[in-house]
Amino acid sequence: MISQLVKGATVEELVANGLGPHFTQHDHALFPTDASGVPFTTAYIEASGDYIADLESNMAAEQRARATYEHLMDLTNDPDLLGPLSFLRQREVIHYQRFKELRNYYLEKKV
């Protein structure tokens, strides 16, 4: 989606839309960052060694991702963006459900 949105954009258009610093370092290439421009790092990946805690952390991460996609959907009415965002949002819902099923399975086995 990002490539599609910036394809053919001039340097002036990128700068005018707040992407000047990104262009300076990455040209039109993708570089994973959060909405504030903080680069992705694996430091955000959590593992405690407690499978229940880790599954619940994963469930929370899926819910945060779902909410982010919903916020992005609220920012546009472009069907070319809404379609993929809707798919990604639903994917997070399914991931949450699968993690929850696995957590419940292990909780039942512990009893």
Side-chain angles (χ1 to χ4, degrees):
M1 283 186 296
I2 302 301
S3 293
Q4 183 179 343
L5 289 169
V6 299
K7 184 178 181 178
T10 66
V11 174
E12 293 78 18
E13 290 170 325
L14 292 171
V15 170
N17 288 285
L19 294 172
H22 179 89
F23 176 81
T24 300
Q25 281 191 290
H26 311 291
D27 191 13
H28 283 71
L30 298 179
F31 186 78
T33 64
D34 69 11
S36 300
V38 177
F40 173 79
T41 173
T42 58
Y44 302 126
I45 298 174
E46 298 178 16
S48 70
D50 178 314
Y51 57 91
I52 298 297
D54 291 344
L55 285 168
E56 290 186 355
S57 178
N58 291 339
M59 291 166 55
E62 298 299 337
Q63 290 290 56
R64 287 189 298 274
R66 177 200 46 78
T68 297
Y69 288 125
E70 289 174 357
H71 295 157
L72 288 169
M73 293 169 76
D74 289 342
L75 294 172
T76 186
N77 61 3
D78 183 339
D80 289 337
L81 291 177
L82 288 171
L85 289 171
S86 178
F87 168 82
L88 293 169
R89 179 202 172 279
Q90 188 59 31
R91 183 186 65 172
E92 304 306 335
V93 170
I94 298 300
H95 289 168
Y96 173 84
Q97 291 170 344
R98 298 296 87 84
F99 282 130
K100 184 177 178 181
E101 289 169 4
L102 187 59
R103 184 208 57 184
N104 291 345
Y105 170 81
Y106 282 122
L107 285 174
E108 289 172 13
K109 283 188 71 112
K110 270 182 123 173
V111 176

